[in-house]
Amino acid sequence: MSARRLFTGPARLAAIAPYLWLALFFLVPFGFVIKISLSQTAVAQPPYLPVFDLAAGWDSLVAAFGELTLDNYRLLVSDNLYLLAYLRSVMVAFTATLILLLIGYPVAYAMARLPRRWQATAMMLVIIPFWTSFLIRVYAWINILQHDGLLNTVLVGLGIVSAPLSWLATDTAMYIGLVYSYLPFMILPLYATLSKMDGALLEAAADLGCSPVKAFWLVTVPISLPGVGAGVLLCFIPIVGEFVIPDLLAGSDALMIGQTIWLEFFTNRDWPVASATAVVLLAILVVPLVFYERAQMRQIEGRR
Amino acid sequence: MAATAARGLSRINMAALALGLAFLYLPIVILVIYSFNASQLVTVWGGWSLRWYRELLNDEAMLAAAWMSLRVAAMSATAAAVLGTLAAVALARAGAFRGRTLFSGMLYAPLVMPEVITGLTLLLLFVAVNAERGFWTVTIAHTTLTMCFVTVVVQSRLGALDRSLEEAAMDLGCPPARAFVAVTLPLILPAIAAGWMLAFTLSLDDLVIASFTTGPGSATLPIRIYSEVRLGVKPQINAICTLIVALLTLVIIAASMATKLTSARGESAAPL
């Protein structure tokens, strides 16, 4: 106990460097995004107006403040392009997360029921793809799905289809890529809660005459809900803002919001609109986070 | 009763596990095999060959990008290891301090933040302070992104540690800070090493944040690969991807050995 009290001083000092780093490179940049989202596009370097110049004195600063507008946000609301992109992002993330849950749950469940000594190996096998490059994993699928790729060769060879199908630039390809890339993020939190489950609970259910299927729904599923929540969150939030997978695998007729930000920024060089789009995306993503936080709090309180 | 129920389910369980793992690994295995294909066409198997690896050696833009990526990864992983460990020590040992919630919030936010947003915000900062974009800006961005991963690994290790060793050192008259450096630091070193390697691979992997924060003429390897992939599948890309997979596999083996070393010392290993 005395050790804890003695060491807290130096440990607090340890917080200073990472604290400053995060404030400077994580918190402060959000201020810039909000400011630029209120600016106007300009053909200049940097491509927005007004630029706050502290050296120019107080009056010009006040004048610059007066030039800030909500025009970019009005554009986001009035132009269907952005609304559709937000809608599509949420829909795609929802569908992909649902598929991930349906595939990830049986795998995590099987992992948790393996003999103890195999569980570590199984977990390692699921983690390894998470370490392999995202881009490489998407590229591996382009290899398979392209017009004269492996999938079409196999399908035609087996006589399932008569002519090669086009897989690339479709939503199917995008969903395959999303599910493939995010599967470890779904499996690991599910496995973490399922492996902690006490097997005696299922035995008790069986002894009381509960069928295995019913026991699964009445015992296993409620216990695994925290893992489901964490897995859904870990997949849903990044997928809403996903750029690489829809860009490389989906068609170009409907864009997701990550692609829209990228396009506004790099192609149209409209930094203020890109910033406003990012601010709104962030606001959308806070919603599931708050829900999750609340659910967790309720659970902690329920345990007491 | 429960044992038979478990065995009854296990065939479906095994099928789910086997299919899940096959789904995760097959595409990468196919990619690796085709990188040794002598033929230009993906459908035609022209026999085993190292042709695409030789062509890779002549691709100077690709080699320069690889060198840039390795430097950024090593530099940012080192910075992330230092900052992430400090943060872990603060979270595990400092108790309640003012701003702790904000601190852990900022630390873990990059875990779920879409990369497009992180990249955009950092770029706007760099532009506003007129920083020259290139090696250093990407390194700073990757450090910010990866330090939370180091913290997760080191913090769980600190939590699993037997505090009595530290206390014994202090009972024998060792000042707290010195007890930490002499007793605790060696014990968490494998976790820091594992965190470093995780940060290294994440930095090597990142496309989106690097695209935002880099400048003209200093493309990282994923940026280079991405611009090639957009133009279609090329056998050389299979070759460079295979090399990256091989490198990352080595790093993973090293990291798991570092974690094993930890558990060999009699405490529970830090989960990666």
Side-chain angles (χ1 to χ4, degrees):
Chain A
M1 202 56 231
S2 63
R4 184 182 297 259
R5 212 172 13 193
L6 281 172
F7 193 66
T8 46
R12 274 179 200 179
L13 290 182
I16 295 174
Y19 213 125
L20 287 179
W21 180 282
L22 287 168
L24 186 59
F25 295 115
F26 187 76
L27 213 55
V28 170
F30 279 106
F32 282 99
V33 173
I34 291 171
K35 185 248 145 185
I36 289 164
S37 75
L38 298 169
S39 304
Q40 293 153 33
T41 316
V43 186
Q45 187 65 7
Y48 52 82
L49 273 175
V51 179
F52 288 151
D53 189 358
L54 289 176
W58 179 250
D59 287 341
S60 73
L61 264 184
V62 172
F65 260 109
E67 281 179 52
L68 295 178
T69 70
L70 283 171
D71 281 355
N72 299 313
Y73 291 95
R74 277 193 207 106
L75 178 72
L76 290 191
V77 182
S78 59
D79 194 332
N80 270 343
L81 176 85
Y82 302 99
L83 285 178
L84 287 175
Y86 282 117
L87 222 57
R88 177 172 159 84
S89 297
V90 172
M91 284 306 294
V92 165
F94 181 80
T95 316
T97 308
L98 201 66
I99 302 173
L100 277 161
L101 192 60
L102 291 177
I103 296 179
Y105 204 101
V107 177
Y109 188 78
M111 276 172 66
R113 305 204 97 187
L114 279 176
R116 278 275 160 215
R117 61 205 152 91
W118 290 358
Q119 287 195 9
T121 316
M123 198 168 103
M124 200 65 201
L125 283 173
V126 173
I127 291 175
I128 290 172
F130 163 74
W131 289 58
T132 344
S133 169
F134 217 69
L135 188 60
I136 291 179
R137 284 181 284 156
V138 175
Y139 173 71
W141 276 103
I142 298 182
N143 249 337
I144 296 170
L145 296 175
Q146 64 180 321
H147 189 72
D148 47 3
L150 205 67
L151 183 63
N152 273 335
T153 314
V154 170
L155 285 178
V156 172
L158 291 175
I160 295 171
V161 294
S162 52
L165 301 171
S166 29
W167 294 98
L168 281 183
T170 63
D171 278 4
T172 314
M174 178 185 65
Y175 281 116
I176 291 175
L178 285 171
V179 169
Y180 182 64
S181 302
Y182 283 93
L183 195 56
F185 290 92
M186 183 58 90
I187 292 179
L188 288 176
L190 284 174
Y191 165 74
T193 50
L194 283 172
S195 68
K196 271 188 231 139
M197 194 177 95
D198 190 350
L201 289 172
L202 287 182
E203 278 175 44
D207 287 348
L208 295 170
C210 199
S211 73
V213 176
K214 210 173 157 198
F216 173 77
W217 284 110
L218 289 178
V219 180
T220 312
V221 169
I223 285 178
S224 65
L225 277 182
V228 172
V232 164
L233 210 66
L234 275 177
C235 294
F236 183 83
I237 293 184
I239 292 177
V240 172
E242 185 56 56
F243 165 74
V244 181
I245 297 169
D247 187 60
L248 288 176
L249 294 176
S252 54
D253 44 334
L255 296 182
M256 281 177 64
I257 206 66
Q259 295 168 279
T260 314
I261 295 177
W262 183 283
L263 200 72
E264 290 294 352
F265 193 85
F266 286 107
T267 312
N268 301 347
R269 283 190 68 79
D270 195 337
W271 292 16
V273 168
S275 301
T277 316
V279 170
V280 173
L281 172 59
L282 209 60
I284 293 175
L285 292 181
V286 167
V287 176
L289 272 176
V290 169
F291 267 109
Y292 179 72
E293 194 73 20
R294 282 229 182 115
Q296 245 186 351
M297 290 302 267
R298 221 175 297 137
Q299 209 195 354
I300 291 167
E301 273 163 23
R303 227 178 267 157
R304 270 179 198 154
Chain B
M1 183 65 206
T4 49
R7 216 169 292 143
L9 273 171
S10 75
R11 203 168 297 158
I12 308 169
N13 287 351
M14 290 318 288
L17 194 59
L19 281 175
L21 289 177
F23 177 60
L24 284 176
Y25 282 91
L26 249 147
I28 297 174
V29 172
I30 292 168
L31 174 89
V32 170
I33 292 174
Y34 272 104
S35 77
F36 295 104
N37 185 4
S39 161
Q40 175 96 47
L41 295 165
V42 186
T43 31
V44 185
W45 181 256
W48 298 90
S49 145
L50 289 174
R51 178 180 163 196
W52 307 115
Y53 292 87
R54 274 196 300 276
E55 293 209 358
L56 209 57
L57 283 178
N58 298 323
D59 189 342
E60 270 173 28
M62 193 67 91
L63 290 180
W67 178 232
M68 164 91 177
S69 269
L70 287 174
R71 281 188 306 147
V72 168
M75 192 72 188
S76 66
T78 308
V82 173
L83 290 167
T85 304
L86 285 172
V89 169
L91 287 175
R93 293 293 158 88
F97 57 91
R98 195 175 294 168
R100 190 191 159 107
T101 319
L102 175 68
F103 184 55
S104 59
M106 286 195 299
L107 197 59
Y108 292 120
L111 274 172
V112 287
M113 186 76 70
E115 289 171 321
V116 177
I117 294 185
T118 314
L120 181 69
T121 55
L122 275 166
L123 171 72
L124 295 179
L125 171 78
F126 293 141
V127 169
V129 299
N130 221 346
E132 193 196 337
R133 277 176 283 150
F135 174 79
W136 286 107
T137 48
V138 181
T139 303
I140 288 173
H142 282 180
T143 305
T144 313
L145 175 75
T146 56
M147 63 190 270
C148 61
F149 290 89
V150 179
T151 308
V152 171
V153 176
V154 176
Q155 198 187 346
S156 75
R157 178 81 193 111
L158 274 171
L161 217 59
D162 187 358
R163 296 279 293 263
S164 58
L165 288 170
E166 220 173 280
E167 281 163 22
M170 281 185 272
D171 286 346
L172 294 170
C174 195
R178 210 175 131 214
F180 186 84
V181 171
V183 177
T184 314
L185 200 58
L187 287 173
I188 60 169
L189 214 53
I192 299 175
W196 186 92
M197 286 179 261
L198 184 55
F200 183 86
T201 60
L202 285 167
S203 164
L204 211 58
D205 178 21
D206 168 68
L207 163 73
V208 175
I209 294 175
S211 298
F212 274 102
T213 51
T214 195
S218 40
T220 62
L221 194 52
I223 296 177
R224 183 84 206 125
I225 293 175
Y226 172 72
S227 62
E228 294 271 338
V229 168
R230 291 205 76 171
L231 304 174
V233 170
K234 278 190 199 158
Q236 293 102 301
I237 303 294
N238 287 342
I240 185 83
C241 288
T242 302
L243 288 179
I244 298 173
V245 169
L247 175 69
L248 293 181
T249 311
L250 284 179
V251 174
I252 297 163
I253 293 171
S256 75
M257 271 161 74
T259 335
K260 278 237 180 69
L261 199 68
T262 317
S263 46
R265 286 183 188 175
E267 297 98 12
S268 62
L272 269 180

